Amino acid sequence: MTATLQTVLDLSGATHREPLGPTAEGLSSATFERVVIDGDRYVVKRLSHDTDWVMRAVGDVGVPRVVRMHASGLFDALPACLDTTLVAVAFDPATGMAELLMRDVGSAFLRDSDPISPEQHALFLDVMAQLHAATRGMVDELGLTQPTQRWQMLGPAFARQEALRGPLTGVPRLLLPMWGRLGQNAPDLHRAVLALAANPAPLVAALAATPQSLVHGDWKGGNLGIGADGRVVLVDWAFPGVDAPCADLGWYLSVNCDRLPESKEAAIERYRDALERHGMHTAGWWERQLPLALLGTAVQMAWSKCDQVEELAWWSARVAEGCALLP
């Protein structure tokens, strides 16, 4: 694959170039640049395993997974309702640096921390369901994020591993203190999710017995927008993989909890209805996959809820339900 990739994007025709700082929700350590080519505006994203903690958290080594997906044509095969904005990719094996050229659709994105409107919310869940229905039964031939990597990505072990590289910053700096507070505020929840963060094999095995689809992994507000053509803009494919579709739903409910226009229960039913509408019937597996995937989401994100009483109570109940289904 690397032989067919450019090592560096050809930006020789650019008439304007300017570095961009991270957005308020830009939690990775990738760098960005705005360029203008033939009068059209683009954004260049640069990332590598050495410089991006997210890639290290999910074991994204060698050619980055987003580059593999683009080079294989997988993005072109996704439902037309999705716009990844990707135009070209490059990867330099000598430096480990990847470059992604994306159309600049900044005005399409949700504004930082603004509530998600009912119309936006309904569209996001419908398109999420379309992605999952269209890719049901997909086989991973690209070495995408493995389920074990997904559930362990924000555990204490990763934070300790990062600390060996030097002083922690950003999200990795928060992990150990907040996991500690989780133990103080919700000891039963902490005990359950800590055990699965250390060894997610029971969760992985249980979810593997339910339907699998391509999941994006990070349906947070900062990665989402609606383009002028009505398509959903979905960027930052940092940890895609073949996994339980409800893994995407759980992450969406968790990271956007303060922005949702309806209850989590209503959102869950809305997503399930959308799956049915798009031909992915849920009888026979939904009652197992949903609680297990929400348990997995808690393994990933319960530490971030440690000071939110109502959120913590909701996720504690989901952990109890999911643990009851483990082998």
Side-chain angles (χ1 to χ4, degrees):
M1 180 184 297
T2 55
T4 66
L5 287 173
Q6 302 175 79
T7 56
V8 180
L9 292 174
D10 181 7
L11 302 178
S12 59
T15 56
H16 177 79
R17 299 179 64 168
E18 64 174 301
L20 295 175
T23 66
E25 296 200 54
L27 299 179
S28 84
S29 36
T31 61
F32 297 85
E33 180 184 13
R34 176 174 288 121
V35 301
V36 177
I37 303 172
D38 295 332
D40 295 321
R41 290 158 58 97
Y42 299 89
V43 171
V44 178
K45 179 178 182 178
R46 296 183 175 91
L47 68 162
S48 73
H49 186 270
D50 286 340
T51 61
D52 193 343
W53 71 263
V54 176
M55 293 182 67
R56 295 192 296 273
V58 293
D60 193 355
V61 297
V63 181
R65 289 165 181 148
V66 63
V67 174
R68 297 177 217 172
M69 289 178 69
H70 188 272
S72 72
L74 179 55
F75 284 128
D76 294 332
L78 297 184
C81 57
L82 273 173
D83 181 6
T84 68
T85 78
L86 274 167
V87 175
V89 301
F91 176 71
D92 185 353
T95 63
M97 183 64 68
E99 294 185 315
L100 313 178
L101 182 67
M102 303 172 286
R103 288 180 291 104
D104 186 352
V105 295
S107 61
F109 287 102
L110 299 186
R111 294 191 299 177
D112 294 338
S113 302
D114 278 1
I116 299 173
S117 73
E119 296 77 17
Q120 291 168 334
H121 174 69
L123 181 59
F124 294 153
L125 290 178
D126 185 80
V127 169
M128 181 189 293
Q130 288 190 60
L131 170 65
H132 296 154
T135 59
R136 178 175 181 172
M138 175 178 163
V139 176
D140 178 10
E141 298 178 341
L142 299 175
L144 302 179
T145 309
Q146 299 301 299
T148 295
Q149 295 168 323
R150 183 175 311 284
W151 306 127
Q152 290 185 312
M153 62 181 288
L154 296 175
F158 167 67
R160 288 191 289 267
Q161 176 184 313
E162 281 292 285
L164 298 176
R165 300 175 59 91
L168 296 175
T169 60
V171 171
R173 179 177 60 84
L174 301 175
L175 290 175
L176 289 177
M178 294 187 77
W179 271 92
R181 288 219 298 275
L182 182 65
Q184 296 172 350
N185 295 349
D188 291 340
L189 167 63
H190 177 263
R191 190 177 305 109
V193 296
L194 183 63
L196 287 169
N199 177 24
L203 178 61
V204 171
L207 282 169
T210 65
Q212 307 285 289
S213 297
L214 177 67
V215 300
H216 172 273
D218 195 7
W219 284 74
K220 68 178 182 182
N223 292 338
L224 288 164
I226 300 175
D229 58 3
R231 291 191 297 162
V232 166
V233 174
L234 182 61
V235 299
D236 200 8
W237 293 72
F239 37 101
V242 174
D243 216 321
C246 288
D248 268 342
L249 175 64
W251 185 273
Y252 177 86
L253 297 176
S254 174
V255 299
N256 300 309
C257 63
D258 296 330
R259 306 174 71 170
L260 299 178
E262 63 182 353
S263 69
K264 293 183 183 67
E265 289 79 7
I268 288 168
E269 287 307 309
R270 185 180 299 275
Y271 167 75
R272 184 179 187 179
D273 289 346
L275 283 180
E276 295 282 352
R277 189 166 58 251
H278 295 295
M280 188 168 179
H281 301 303
T282 58
W285 62 267
W286 175 265
E287 290 75 12
R288 288 189 58 79
Q289 185 179 111
L290 176 67
L292 289 165
L294 294 179
L295 169 60
T297 303
V299 174
Q300 293 172 305
M301 294 297 293
W303 58 270
S304 70
K305 315 291 183 182
C306 61
D307 296 325
Q308 300 171 273
V309 176
E310 291 185 6
E311 270 288 290
L312 198 55
W314 195 88
W315 287 101
S316 292
R318 305 293 80 73
V319 166
E321 292 166 357
C323 285
L325 297 175
L326 292 177

